[in-house]
Amino acid sequence: MTEPARLREISDDEFTAAYGSDRFTSAVILNRLRYAVEHMSTGFMREAFSPIIRDWYDFACTISGPPERGYPMAVVSNSLVVFLGTLGDAVRNAVEEFGPENLSPGDVLICNDPYRGGTHVNDVCFIRPVFAGGKIVSFVNMRAHQLDMGGTVPGGFSATKSNVYENGLVIPPVLLWSRDQPVRSTFSLIFDNTRWGGMLLPDFKSIHQQLKLGEQLVLENIERYGLDAYLGTLTYACDTSAERMRDAIALVPDGDYTGSALIDADGLDDTVDYTVRVTLRKRGQHIEVDLSGTSPQARTCINCGVLDAKTAVGVALTMLLDPEVPFTSGTWRTIDLATPPGTLVSSLPPDGGIMMFWEASGAVVSAIFDALNPVLGEKGVAGDYGSTNTHNASGVTAGGTPWTSATQCGGEHGPWGATKEGDGDSYTVLFFLNNLDPATETIEHDAPLVMLRKEHAIDTGGAGEFRGGAANLKDTLWLSAASHYLSPFRTKVPSGVGANGGKAGPNGAMWFFPPREDARELLGTSAEVYAGSIPVAGVLDPDSKAPDPEGVYHYFASRPVWRTEPGTVLRCLTNGGGGWGDPLARDPERVLADVRNAYVSVEGAARDYGVVVIGDPHHDPEGLRIDEQATAELRARR
Amino acid sequence: MNKIQQNPVLERIPVDGPCPRCGAEELRRYPVVSEGGWFQVVKCQSCLYSVEREPWSRLGPIQLLSDSL
Ligand SMILES: [Zn+2]
């Protein structure tokens, strides 16, 4: 096994021989291709009708190479990472099954089967071959979430569906456009089996146009620089990722490392929890990741497929070892995923339904952090909020208008863990999603609700020299009767684990508050308010119903559908992000700023950081100061 | 610990002979996913050297009925 020559060290002649162009031209072509996928993304974003595209950026674009080169995914947009990770395999699997010889210029091939292409049925892959000289030279691709793909739950976001038949419409590789003419039978197949086709249709048309744009931009590059230089650049892009990932892997000491992560329950009952177990075996520039020992596939659709597990491995190692590595097929060149079939993260049809796939593959990321953080020391990364705690609701207004609210009013956004670079961010999405945050005005426009709170919860960032991001607290007042589906998966053990000696962030929960006389008054945030609630999820004190790690687990699908009266408030509190480093090493000035900004209370500053802050953060924030002597004494006693 | 043993474990079939790189008598055959999809490998369990690396079926352990048409 000879190691490949380093890209920086090969001569200009060797570079040109290997990649069909000089270094400078390859760099120019690659940048132009990155522009192409961003241009496609911007166009779609501007035109999309579906809220999940418009408000969440729930799509991604890539460029892959031709069949005879193994469909290398060389260029990816700056967007949803779980889509990018699986698109390389999705394109290869869909085109190989359909037969590249059956494709023509102007075709758009689609596929949404999680087992063939990863993620879930709502995420449809749109694949367009690019022909030059009568031959396929590339594919321009988009994967975009469709608001509904049929199945038993409107919108699909639910942990309660039992198998692939309940889950939704599965589309094998078929043409949606043939030589730029719509294939009516395929459109009918979709419209006859899904809800809200009126929203899907214009988005499909926009995707068709973006793919045509991508094709045009690829062809312009080929015309200008030649086919050899174009194809060589795709290879170069993948080789670059492979080399940088090899270098990053080499930084980890050789050895076998194990980690795990826990998912609370599936959508059937709360008698079974699910563990992802990972063993990383590292030798030189190679890593083998074995998922043996992971729980069998779940009884309801909280599973993910093996391609999502593969994405999670790529994301976790990229984040831990070298976040600058461009995410291409080459990322996995010296990484092997070895997994038994039929686990939570390598489920099999028809029983191992896949819907909440990112929750399962996110646990793979957590397990890898768990395994490698102790080895990495300072380079360790603390855990994030663990679950998007997804909320879906639908109903009919008093006036008879149907409405739906998808992925807007649960705990979808939350904190990241801290790193050696600084504090964790507080209001983002899970490490490996990378979406946007829907605007409050849009959410309130689309469904009969009032968003009362969307704020950082105090004392929820894991303590450390660098603090974890703060948990998010969200209160939503539902003005009409509603049917809710709630999917928080990581409330039993902290997901926001600490790194390099930092503390874990506390766990969150969800509650409904029945309609109140004083509905116009905000609900408080102190522990007393929870006594009047109906707990949905979380580990809570049996009497006060406030979060308590020693308390009782409440199961999110104890009612598969939570039906509420007008005037009900839903509260979602996410988990907190983990801290990095010893909390007593945190600069007291930073703790003071945290008290000033309501990340940390006066009590929390003393308890968690050994910093004594004097003053009133609410009524005289500018007057806060540190009691230096008391702080020194308090820290010395720890 | 009983519960862990019931969870699926990847089967690694022993293959005779030493590793050509490190000499360990620890070669095993099993499927992996990597760049380029699924492969059946014969790999040294000591140093991770791949003695063989052949492309496997497109979807790994999943067989499509339509592939039998
Ligand atoms: Zn060996």
Side-chain angles (χ1 to χ4, degrees):
Chain A
M1 195 152 46
T2 53
E3 301 299 349
R6 299 192 59 75
L7 291 171
R8 268 178 202 282
E9 288 162 12
I10 62 175
S11 70
D12 289 349
D13 287 346
E14 286 169 323
F15 188 98
T16 304
Y19 300 117
S21 120
D22 62 86
R23 288 178 202 272
F24 179 78
T25 306
S26 273
V28 169
I29 295 173
L30 191 51
N31 277 313
R32 287 170 63 103
L33 294 175
R34 288 183 180 142
Y35 160 83
V37 290
E38 295 307 333
H39 199 356
M40 291 164 69
S41 301
T42 311
F44 188 40
M45 181 84 162
R46 188 184 65 238
E47 294 178 356
F49 280 64
S50 162
I52 202 153
I53 304 296
R54 182 191 69 200
D55 302 338
W56 264 90
Y57 215 96
D58 206 339
F59 66 97
C61 303
T62 62
I63 298 173
S64 291
E68 68 274 12
R69 291 186 180 225
Y71 304 87
M73 180 185 72
V75 183
V76 303
S77 59
N78 176 14
S79 49
L80 198 48
V81 182
V82 290
F83 284 10
L84 301 175
T86 43
L87 259 167
D89 294 289
V91 169
R92 186 182 56 250
N93 288 343
V95 173
E96 284 290 295
E97 184 178 337
F98 189 80
E101 69 282 6
N102 299 319
L103 289 170
S104 302
D107 286 354
V108 175
L109 184 69
I110 60 168
C111 178
N112 78 337
D113 177 15
Y115 301 100
R116 288 171 167 102
T119 72
H120 55 196
V121 290
N122 291 65
D123 301 330
V124 180
C125 291
F126 301 80
I127 301 161
R128 184 172 176 96
V130 178
F131 282 78
K135 208 167 158 290
I136 295 175
V137 295
S138 220
F139 296 90
V140 289
N141 318 296
M142 189 180 267
R143 190 199 296 264
H145 185 109
Q146 307 304 319
L147 213 51
D148 187 82
M149 265 294 139
T152 54
V153 175
F157 287 115
S158 161
T160 59
K161 299 176 287 183
S162 296
N163 52 52
V164 299
Y165 312 111
E166 291 182 10
N167 200 32
L169 175 66
V170 176
I171 309 170
V174 290
L175 291 182
L176 188 61
W177 269 269
S178 174
R179 297 175 183 271
D180 283 325
Q181 296 302 310
V183 179
R184 180 168 173 158
S185 53
T186 307
F187 277 91
S188 295
L189 172 78
I190 296 170
F191 296 154
D192 294 354
N193 288 286
T194 65
R195 305 163 181 91
W196 313 318
M199 193 126 55
L200 271 49
L201 177 58
D203 285 0
F204 284 2
K205 288 182 173 174
S206 176
I207 290 167
H208 180 219
Q209 294 305 316
Q210 307 320 323
L211 293 174
K212 284 170 79 169
L213 171 67
E215 175 190 32
Q216 179 196 325
L217 294 170
V218 164
L219 288 174
E220 282 175 13
N221 278 285
I222 293 172
E223 209 164 287
R224 187 162 179 160
Y225 300 101
L227 185 58
D228 284 353
Y230 172 78
L231 292 175
T233 297
L234 301 185
T235 306
Y236 168 65
C238 295
D239 287 356
T240 304
S241 295
E243 178 173 288
R244 291 192 62 168
M245 186 52 102
R246 278 198 307 271
D247 288 351
I249 289 170
L251 298 176
V252 181
D254 280 6
D256 295 1
Y257 307 107
T258 59
S260 66
L262 186 78
I263 287 186
D264 294 350
D266 67 14
L268 188 66
D269 59 47
D270 64 352
T271 61
V272 184
D273 55 25
Y274 293 86
T275 304
V276 171
R277 281 180 212 285
V278 61
T279 302
L280 290 112
R281 309 183 62 236
K282 190 271 172 183
R283 305 286 186 276
Q285 298 178 331
H286 291 261
I287 282 189
E288 184 175 284
V289 179
D290 188 347
L291 296 168
S292 288
T294 294
S295 299
Q297 63 190 34
R299 305 160 301 175
T300 65
C301 59
I302 67 166
N303 303 290
C304 74
V306 71
L307 297 179
D308 300 296
K310 177 184 164 186
T311 299
V313 169
V315 169
L317 294 177
T318 297
M319 286 201 63
L320 290 173
L321 304 182
D322 187 352
E324 302 290 318
V325 176
F327 211 48
T328 72
S329 304
T331 295
W332 287 274
R333 190 163 301 168
T334 56
I335 301 170
D336 277 345
L337 175 60
T339 174
T343 74
L344 178 75
V345 292
S346 59
S347 80
L348 299 174
D351 293 331
I354 292 173
M355 181 64 206
M356 315 303 281
F357 71 92
W358 67 95
E359 302 280 351
S361 59
V364 174
V365 176
S366 295
I368 293 174
F369 278 29
D370 185 42
L372 288 185
N373 266 347
V375 190
L376 292 172
E378 287 198 342
K379 284 196 78 178
V381 175
D384 63 8
Y385 64 112
S387 171
T388 55
N389 307 289
T390 301
H391 170 267
N392 240 32
S394 50
V396 180
T397 64
T401 308
W403 58 267
T404 185
S405 171
T407 64
Q408 295 173 325
C409 299
E412 287 86 2
H413 294 70
W416 282 17
T419 70
K420 68 181 191 306
E421 308 295 343
D423 295 345
D425 287 342
S426 288
Y427 189 74
T428 177
V429 287
L430 296 176
F431 279 139
F432 71 151
L433 291 180
N434 190 23
N435 306 93
L436 300 179
D437 175 38
T440 301
E441 293 78 2
T442 305
I443 296 169
E444 294 182 343
H445 174 268
D446 289 350
L449 62 87
V450 182
M451 197 141 259
L452 300 173
R453 287 182 191 274
K454 200 185 204 180
E455 64 186 34
H456 299 335
I458 198 164
D459 288 331
T460 54
E465 181 176 348
F466 292 124
R467 173 181 47 71
N472 183 253
L473 179 72
K474 201 185 274 179
D475 282 354
T476 315
L477 171 65
W478 298 85
L479 301 174
S480 76
S483 299
H484 306 261
Y485 296 85
L486 295 156
S487 305
F489 290 111
R490 304 278 297 273
T491 70
K492 284 184 181 172
V493 295
S495 62
V497 294
N500 196 34
K503 300 284 184 288
N507 278 348
M510 290 188 180
W511 306 260
F512 280 115
F513 291 84
R516 296 172 302 148
E517 294 280 319
D518 54 348
R520 297 268 155 193
E521 292 289 309
L522 275 180
L523 275 170
T525 56
S526 61
E528 301 86 70
V529 301
Y530 297 101
S533 71
I534 302 163
V536 173
V539 178
L540 308 176
D541 180 277
D543 299 320
S544 73
K545 304 181 197 172
D548 175 4
E550 307 300 315
V552 181
Y553 173 67
H554 290 261
Y555 171 51
F556 62 87
S558 60
R559 300 176 202 175
V561 187
W562 294 79
R563 299 190 200 285
T564 59
E565 297 300 311
T568 299
V569 170
L570 170 64
R571 170 168 291 180
C572 297
L573 175 67
T574 71
N575 296 352
W580 181 98
D582 179 4
L584 297 182
R586 186 167 177 81
D587 182 348
E589 291 297 329
R590 282 181 173 268
V591 178
L592 181 70
D594 280 346
V595 174
R596 166 75 175 78
N597 294 324
Y599 283 106
V600 173
S601 65
V602 169
E603 299 73 32
R607 181 187 63 230
D608 300 334
Y609 294 97
V611 174
V612 179
V613 176
I614 299 169
D616 182 341
H618 296 288
H619 298 104
D620 182 21
E622 302 303 326
L624 290 171
R625 63 183 182 83
I626 297 166
D627 184 329
E628 305 278 357
Q629 194 182 341
T631 296
E633 286 167 12
L634 187 53
R635 285 190 159 185
R637 286 206 298 273
R638 300 282 172 88
Chain B
M1 293 308 284
N2 213 11
K3 199 176 162 193
I4 296 170
Q5 285 162 4
Q6 289 166 3
N7 292 349
V9 171
L10 179 67
E11 195 187 356
R12 296 173 187 242
I13 300 162
V15 173
D16 285 340
C19 168
R21 183 160 72 180
C22 76
E25 300 261 352
E26 286 188 60
L27 301 180
R28 297 272 190 285
R29 181 187 303 280
Y30 49 98
V32 300
V33 199
S34 185
E35 180 184 22
W38 284 94
F39 297 86
Q40 278 286 357
V41 296
V42 174
K43 220 165 149 178
C44 172
Q45 301 303 285
S46 178
C47 75
L48 298 184
Y49 178 71
S50 291
V51 178
E52 284 177 39
R53 211 172 167 84
E54 296 298 321
W56 195 34
S57 73
R58 203 166 51 246
L59 306 183
I62 297 173
Q63 300 284 311
L64 299 175
L65 188 55
S66 50
D67 279 341
S68 68
L69 287 172

